[in-house]
Amino acid sequence: MAMTLRLTEEDNARLDELAEVEGRSKQEVLRLALADRWARLHKQEQLDEVLGRVLPRYRGLLDRMDPV
C-alpha cells in the first residue's frame, strides 16, 4: 500500500544520512525502523506476560534473598 510521509527538513536529512551510511534506500531504512519498533513492543509484552506468571511463583524465594 502506498502512503505519503511528510518529514521536517531535519528528519529528512537524518533519514538521508542513515540511508547513505547503511547503503540502503530511505524506504528500506523506514521499513526496518518500523519492524524494530514492532518487535520491541511485542518483546516487552511477552516479557511482561512471563514475569506475571513467574514472579508470583518465586515471590517467597525472592523476598528471602533480598537483604533489605
Side-chain angles (χ1 to χ4, degrees):
M1 175 187 338
M3 71 177 288
T4 300
L5 178 64
R6 290 177 178 79
L7 299 173
T8 64
E9 286 184 28
E10 182 179 7
D11 286 340
N12 190 54
R14 289 174 177 169
L15 183 55
D16 283 336
E17 182 181 342
L18 283 172
E20 183 176 338
V21 167
E22 295 180 6
R24 302 176 191 274
S25 68
K26 290 165 62 170
Q27 181 177 340
E28 188 174 5
V29 170
L30 291 173
R31 279 198 320 264
L32 289 170
L34 174 63
D36 180 63
R37 276 298 288 274
W38 186 88
R40 282 190 282 148
L41 171 70
H42 287 280
K43 183 181 247 184
Q44 185 62 51
E45 289 174 352
Q46 291 172 346
L47 179 61
D48 291 346
E49 189 270 326
V50 168
L51 289 175
R53 284 186 291 115
V54 172
L55 286 179
R57 181 182 308 166
Y58 297 103
R59 174 57 54 205
L61 176 62
L62 292 170
D63 289 343
R64 288 192 301 271
M65 291 175 62
D66 189 7
V68 175

